[in-house]
């Protein structure tokens, strides 16, 4: 069987050392193969011994179950570690601080029971992120993520595309249903406190809104009265913030269009979207944006 980790960067060397340390075996130095093959051999030997004893006792059904169970756990662990490897680049700098032993032990105990390929990807990102920067993901976040289903993970991926500013998720009905919002709060990814963001555009004037780190909206009010717009938001929980950092976000084009329609329903005349190209004392952005219709 092949090794779990092939070392060719400082990051992968640390990943191998972290995983092998958590498994109680040794990882060799940079540019060599981690002795993670030993893990496979040890687990197989342990399982085969137990299976042999059960067969001697004529408990073949239990022996088959045990072999299948341990094989599944091993394959799950290898799959997550393989996904983690994909997050390291040649020459990438990683923290020299070691990953907490309790953290890696908890992590390995959890991932051996994770079979879904989509969740393997998420857990691989978490392992790589913790190796690069220890203390990025709390034990509480690991336990929360352990109990999330594939459908709940998909809902969270959808929700984090609807953020306004940093770590605030728009919970208006045009992006998330009440059931979806409540579910995200129930599983611990959103705080339950209802918050409101409000913007007021003076008559015959405009207002700039930084919607995210790359996008600025300009609201135009061509009327004789001030127009106030408010939207419901909820803040991501600490675990939600940690998990959102490793989930690839969907395109936000649908959200931009939806929130533009929301502003226009309140009386805003035009909504333009500009790409932010530099931050400073005064935000600079591309001089020609596009109008969101």
């Amino acid at each position: 069987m092949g090794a779990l980790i092939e070392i060719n960067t400082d990051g992968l060397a640390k990943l191998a050392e972290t995983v092998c340390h958590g498994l109680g075996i040794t990882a060799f130095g940079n540019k060599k193969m981690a002795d993670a093959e030993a893990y496979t051999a040890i687990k197989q030997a342990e399982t085969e011994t137990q299976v042999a004893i059960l067969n001697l006792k004529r408990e073949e059904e239990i022996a088959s179950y045990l072999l299948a169970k341990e094989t599944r756990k091993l394959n799950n662990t290898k799959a997550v570690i393989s996904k983690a490897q994909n997050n390291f680049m040649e020459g990438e700098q990683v923290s020299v601080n070691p990953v907490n032993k309790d953290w890696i032990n908890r992590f390995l105990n959890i991932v051996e029971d994770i079979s879904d390929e989509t969740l393997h990807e998420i857990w691989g990102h978490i392992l790589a992120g913790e190796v690069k920067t220890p203390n990025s993901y709390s034990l509480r976040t690991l336990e929360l993520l352990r109990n999330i289903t594939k459908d709940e993970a998909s809902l969270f991926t959808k929700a984090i595309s609807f953020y306004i500013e940093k770590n605030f998720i728009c919970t208006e009905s045009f992006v998330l249903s009440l059931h979806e919002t409540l579910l995200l709060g129930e599983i611990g990814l959103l705080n339950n406190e209802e918050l409101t963001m409000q913007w007021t555009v003076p008559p015959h004037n405009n207002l700039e809104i930084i919607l995210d780190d790359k996008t600025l909206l300009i609201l135009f009010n061509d009327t004789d009265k001030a127009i106030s717009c408010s939207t419901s938001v909820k803040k991501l929980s600490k675990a939600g913030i940690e998990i959102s950092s490793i989930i690839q976000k969907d395109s936000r084009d649908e959200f931009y269009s939806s929130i533009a329609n929301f502003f226009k329903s309140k009386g805003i005349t035009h909504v333009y979207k500009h790409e932010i190209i530099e931050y400073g004392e005064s935000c600079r952005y591309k001089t020609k944006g596009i109008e969101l219709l």
Side-chain angles (χ1 to χ4, degrees):
M1 278 195 193
L4 288 178
I5 303 168
E6 182 175 355
I7 303 175
N8 56 17
T9 72
D10 289 342
L12 287 181
K14 187 181 178 187
L15 174 63
E17 183 179 338
T18 299
V19 171
C20 292
H21 181 67
L23 298 169
I25 56 181
T26 304
F28 294 111
N30 212 20
K31 304 296 183 184
K32 293 185 179 180
M33 297 295 288
D35 193 18
E37 293 162 330
Y39 172 56
T40 302
I42 290 169
K43 296 300 288 185
Q44 284 186 329
E46 290 176 349
T47 303
E48 288 170 2
T49 299
Q50 295 178 64
V51 169
I53 293 172
L54 288 168
N55 281 329
L56 285 174
K57 294 180 178 180
R58 299 183 181 231
E59 296 177 348
E60 292 87 355
E61 186 175 353
I62 298 176
S64 296
Y65 168 76
L66 178 62
L67 179 60
K69 178 182 177 183
E70 294 303 320
T71 299
R72 174 181 56 79
K73 287 184 175 183
L74 175 60
N75 289 337
N76 289 339
T77 303
K78 290 175 67 177
V80 169
I81 294 171
S82 177
K83 296 295 185 183
Q85 291 181 74
N86 297 333
N87 290 271
F88 292 91
M89 298 182 294
E90 189 75 40
E92 181 180 10
Q93 296 294 312
V94 299
S95 171
V96 297
N97 296 325
V99 175
N100 180 274
K101 187 174 181 180
D102 288 340
W103 190 97
I104 192 61
N105 287 339
R106 184 82 62 90
F107 180 91
L108 292 171
N109 286 336
I110 291 173
V111 298
E112 67 181 14
D113 289 322
I114 305 295
S115 299
D116 184 83
E117 290 186 12
T118 301
L119 296 179
H120 284 165
E121 191 77 41
I122 294 175
W123 284 101
H125 276 296
I126 286 179
L127 176 57
E130 189 69 14
V131 168
K132 293 178 183 182
T133 309
N135 301 316
S136 292
Y137 304 99
S138 65
L139 292 176
R140 184 174 298 174
T141 293
L142 296 189
E143 289 300 324
L144 185 152
L145 188 56
R146 177 183 203 166
N147 296 311
I148 287 180
T149 66
K150 182 179 178 180
D151 287 344
E152 289 167 345
S154 296
L155 172 59
F156 186 58
T157 300
K158 169 189 172 183
I160 59 175
S161 294
F162 304 142
Y163 69 92
I164 298 178
E165 299 179 359
K166 189 176 181 181
N167 302 330
F168 290 92
I169 303 297
C170 179
T171 55
E172 291 288 342
S173 59
F174 60 82
V175 290
L176 289 173
S177 69
L178 177 59
H179 170 74
E180 290 173 328
T181 300
L182 291 175
L183 178 58
L184 290 171
E186 182 181 329
I187 60 182
L189 294 172
L190 288 182
N191 291 329
N192 288 323
E193 184 182 5
E194 290 282 357
L195 302 171
T196 301
M197 285 191 173
Q198 183 164 324
W199 304 274
T200 300
V201 188
H204 298 290
N205 212 323
N206 63 70
L207 178 70
E208 297 181 354
I209 299 173
I210 296 179
L211 203 60
D212 55 54
D213 59 351
K214 294 181 180 179
T215 309
L216 179 141
L217 297 185
I218 304 180
L219 312 184
F220 286 85
N221 176 9
D222 294 341
T223 72
D224 296 326
K225 295 182 180 179
I227 298 174
S228 293
C229 306
S230 61
T231 182
S232 298
V233 296
K234 285 191 175 183
K235 190 172 183 180
L236 288 169
S237 65
K238 184 176 185 297
I241 293 171
E242 291 179 1
I243 295 171
S244 69
S245 68
I246 51 90
I247 292 181
Q248 185 172 357
K249 297 174 178 61
D250 293 337
S251 168
R252 281 167 60 79
D253 289 345
E254 180 183 349
F255 178 56
Y256 296 143
S257 296
S258 296
I259 200 163
N261 288 331
F262 169 75
F263 286 134
K264 288 183 178 181
S265 72
K266 301 298 182 180
I268 295 298
T269 314
H270 304 283
V271 180
Y272 282 85
K273 180 173 78 73
H274 291 263
E275 180 183 350
I276 297 172
I277 57 175
E278 182 180 338
Y279 281 106
E281 292 184 4
S282 59
C283 179
R284 292 177 53 193
Y285 49 89
K286 286 189 175 178
T287 55
K288 184 177 180 181
I290 60 170
E291 183 171 7
L292 297 173
L293 302 175

